[in-house]
Amino acid sequence: MAFWNNPNVEPKQKFRFLVKIGSQTLYNVKSIDKPTFTVDTKTYTMLNHKFKFPGIPNWEPISMTLVDMQSGGASSIESQLNKMIQQSGYSIPISNSPLTATEKASMGSKSFKSAFGEGSGASTASGYAGTIDIIQLNSDGLPIDHWKLHGPIIKSISFGDLSYESDDLTEYKIDIEYDFATYAPGEP
């Protein structure tokens, strides 16, 4: 008997998810990659045999696509992304006080905090903006899978394109690197 005939089994569906940066839920995320884990392999040759051993583990970058919207006086995603760039240590070359390399290095993790953490009421001591949560939901809206990305930094931001030939939504794509990911089933 196939699983779809069993009333107690429900397949997971891609469109049921939430993304949180710190304590703020982003409701305008169109798509996001789940983490990908890879391991470098090392080969050891002994006489006429080759043996493979695991090497250094690596968490691959993810991409997130956001849809922008106008909502009264609230800041747009484009504004928040620009704030993230500024807080990542980027200093406009015409600025009178460029950042030193040390200042830039220390500001990397502040980018998510500055754009999505202010006013959230979360404690800075807990490193609330130092994580991104990807939560997959069931049909009742309850969490079934929870990935937490630790130490996220911006790898790239694409502000999309504009065209008179299209009535598509304005989208932005962010490529994110992170130190590691943790998984927990159910509630975050």
Side-chain angles (χ1 to χ4, degrees):
M1 180 161 101
F3 74 88
W4 51 81
N5 291 332
N6 185 344
N8 298 323
V9 176
E10 177 185 345
K12 295 178 183 179
Q13 295 180 300
K14 288 179 146 188
F15 69 92
R16 292 189 173 126
F17 69 94
L18 289 175
V19 175
K20 289 185 177 185
I21 295 180
S23 62
Q24 185 171 348
T25 302
L26 303 180
Y27 294 104
N28 56 343
V29 176
K30 180 180 176 184
S31 65
I32 189 165
D33 297 331
K34 283 184 165 183
T36 300
F37 179 79
T38 60
V39 177
D40 295 335
T41 56
K42 305 294 180 192
T43 303
Y44 179 72
T45 305
M46 182 185 241
L47 299 173
N48 60 347
H49 295 286
K50 291 190 177 200
F51 298 94
K52 298 199 185 310
F53 295 94
I56 299 172
N58 187 37
W59 291 94
E60 300 296 328
I62 65 161
S63 293
M64 178 170 54
T65 303
L66 299 136
V67 176
D68 206 356
M69 59 194 80
Q70 298 177 6
S71 56
S75 61
S76 69
I77 289 298
E78 191 165 10
S79 172
Q80 289 179 318
L81 294 176
N82 189 47
K83 193 174 185 182
M84 288 173 73
I85 292 170
Q86 300 303 315
Q87 292 297 320
S88 293
Y90 177 73
S91 180
I92 298 173
I94 59 173
S95 172
N96 292 334
S97 58
L99 297 173
T100 66
T102 307
E103 290 170 325
K104 284 184 183 182
S106 69
M107 294 180 77
S109 65
K110 293 181 183 178
S111 60
F112 288 97
K113 175 182 173 181
S114 68
F116 298 102
E118 289 178 2
S120 66
S123 168
T124 55
S126 66
Y128 68 89
T131 60
I132 296 175
D133 296 288
I134 303 169
I135 304 163
Q136 193 163 1
L137 308 171
N138 65 13
S139 60
D140 296 326
L142 299 173
I144 51 177
D145 290 320
H146 178 214
W147 283 99
K148 186 178 286 284
L149 311 182
H150 299 268
I153 58 172
I154 300 167
K155 182 176 179 183
S156 69
I157 297 177
S158 170
F159 288 98
D161 61 344
L162 303 173
S163 172
Y164 286 115
E165 298 175 346
S166 174
D167 61 354
D168 292 342
L169 300 173
T170 303
E171 296 178 354
Y172 308 111
K173 183 178 177 187
I174 307 173
D175 291 325
I176 301 168
E177 296 262 6
Y178 53 99
D179 296 329
F180 62 95
T182 54
Y183 171 80
E187 187 68 32

